[in-house]
Amino acid sequence: MKDANIPLSLLDLAPITEGHSLADAIHNSVRLARAAEDAGYHRFWMAEHHNMVDIASAATTVILSHIGARTDKIRIGSGGIMLPNHAPLVVAEQFGTLETLYPGRVDLGLGRAPGTDQETLQALRRESRTRGLDFPDMLEELQHFLAEPRPGQRVTAVPGAGLRIPLWLLGSSTFSAQLAAQKGLPLVFASHFAPDAMLAAIDTYRAGFKPSETLNEPYVMVCVNVVAAETQKEADRLATTELQKFVNLGRGVDMKLPKPVDDMNALWHPTEAQRVLTQLRESIWGTPDVVRAGLEDLVRRTGADEIMVNSWIHDADARIRSHQLIAGCWNS
């Protein structure tokens, strides 16, 4: 059985679905955030991606502010802001503004990947030569701007300085796990698309963790794709949208999030099926009982302190219902 103290949180990439507009996607994210708050989710995070026709959360701080204004208590945050795309001072100012608007509700999750392709990275006016290797220095600079200003400090984040905004490091390998351990920061692992390194990264983080002013002991949140429905058949059908999403990623095909299908075998080759199902092997699709058992097993294997769920579901109502079912089975 699960530990009743393990919180459940939600990751939303504001998917732009086939047959719907970008405005629809943002509207549906608001609906989902409100439903998540009512269902008892702890956090509602959104992620920075660029030049992707199926993701509407590129201007992450803007959409988070929109969500914050339309909810009351659920924590809002980034999962994550891709720090190499930005000047640390600007990130401090933006999240300082969010924290000022929604005090005590804001998290700042940070990633070192660009969240896009190399051509778009150049359009963002960021150097690509370092490939994220300067991420530790950028993190230190960001922490400097979020800390209490020092006497004589010439450049200060206004707002941002001294607001103690919680920082999280996102990882899909051991790199961020090592850095989070060194800095004494909480770690979020992306098992929803990078399961191969999950256990190694978590072990690395816990083994090397150094207490800090932020955190006395390691804290791990694991993100996983989940689809819940009243029947296994319906959950499996809804999950074909997720499967198609990852098939298209492998093919380099950029399209809106597709509708579910009755037969994936008509769409993919056996080698693609093996690749996608291997990459998505931590995904959980099924009835509330199946979902609960799957999440309990994930907690058992990882020792996770918190679970974050993501979903690739085409229909907005079905997506909201799925998250309601997940929360219902987890919190019961």
Side-chain angles (χ1 to χ4, degrees):
M1 296 298 291
K2 80 177 183 71
D3 184 335
N5 295 321
I6 296 177
L8 183 68
S9 294
L10 194 158
L11 175 66
D12 175 37
L13 277 70
I16 308 171
T17 58
E18 185 180 2
H20 297 89
S21 68
L22 193 152
D24 293 332
I26 294 175
H27 173 69
N28 288 329
S29 285
V30 172
R31 292 178 58 213
L32 179 62
R34 287 173 168 169
E37 184 171 74
D38 290 341
Y41 282 87
H42 186 44
R43 310 176 202 272
F44 187 92
W45 282 11
M46 306 192 80
E48 175 189 354
H49 291 277
H50 300 279
N51 194 32
M52 295 186 179
V53 300
D54 63 344
I55 294 176
S57 55
T60 314
T61 52
V62 177
I63 196 168
L64 282 175
S65 186
H66 185 66
I67 295 292
R70 286 154 181 81
T71 52
D72 296 317
K73 59 184 179 181
I74 193 169
R75 295 192 66 87
I76 57 173
S78 59
I81 290 295
M82 301 302 138
L83 188 55
N85 294 344
H86 310 278
L89 174 60
V90 173
V91 175
E93 292 170 338
Q94 290 179 345
F95 274 79
T97 301
L98 284 175
E99 175 63 22
T100 302
L101 289 169
Y102 313 108
R105 293 179 57 196
V106 176
D107 299 316
L108 175 47
L110 300 165
R112 71 183 182 99
T116 189
D117 56 86
Q118 290 300 312
E119 189 173 356
T120 306
L121 184 60
Q122 292 177 357
L124 290 167
R125 303 294 192 269
R126 304 301 299 173
E127 292 288 340
S128 60
R129 292 190 297 271
T130 61
R131 298 183 182 274
L133 295 178
D134 59 345
F135 181 71
D137 294 334
M138 297 186 74
L139 174 61
E140 188 169 339
E141 185 178 351
L142 176 61
Q143 289 181 303
H144 165 74
F145 285 124
L146 289 175
E148 291 286 349
R150 300 172 182 174
Q153 184 173 321
R154 297 290 299 274
V155 179
T156 305
V158 182
L163 292 184
R164 298 185 178 276
I165 300 168
L167 295 182
W168 298 68
L169 292 194
L170 280 61
S172 56
S173 67
T174 57
F175 182 96
S176 290
Q178 291 174 331
L179 183 59
Q182 293 167 8
K183 288 284 190 177
L185 294 173
L187 174 71
V188 187
F189 191 81
S191 63
H192 58 305
F193 67 83
D196 288 348
M198 178 178 72
L199 295 179
I202 292 172
D203 288 345
T204 297
Y205 169 67
R206 290 196 175 113
F209 183 83
K210 298 178 180 178
S212 67
E213 293 181 2
T214 301
L215 206 59
N216 290 325
E217 57 186 22
Y219 192 97
V220 175
M221 178 156 59
V222 176
C223 186
V224 61
N225 296 312
V226 183
V227 174
E230 275 79 5
T231 68
Q232 186 67 47
K233 181 178 180 181
E234 178 61 12
D236 289 339
R237 183 175 184 277
L238 292 174
T240 61
T241 291
E242 178 183 329
L243 295 174
Q244 291 177 80
K245 163 76 175 174
F246 280 79
V247 168
N248 290 333
L249 283 172
R251 293 176 178 176
V253 174
D254 199 15
M255 62 178 288
K256 291 184 177 181
L257 194 67
K259 297 177 182 178
V261 296
D262 294 324
D263 183 14
M264 280 299 299
N265 290 327
L267 298 179
W268 60 9
H269 301 296
T271 52
E272 288 180 312
Q274 182 179 11
R275 173 185 62 80
V276 169
L277 292 173
T278 298
Q279 186 177 8
L280 297 178
R281 64 183 181 271
E282 294 294 342
S283 294
I284 304 168
W285 311 319
T287 63
D289 286 343
V290 170
V291 167
R292 182 184 174 99
L295 291 176
E296 288 175 348
D297 179 65
L298 181 65
V299 170
R300 179 187 59 78
R301 289 183 289 117
T302 63
D305 300 289
E306 187 168 341
I307 294 293
M308 177 165 277
V309 293
N310 176 61
S311 68
W312 296 106
I313 297 175
H314 176 271
D315 181 77
D317 290 337
R319 189 162 178 252
I320 290 171
R321 180 58 179 156
S322 174
H323 283 293
Q324 289 171 331
L325 292 172
I326 296 165
C329 74
W330 190 245
N331 295 326
S332 61

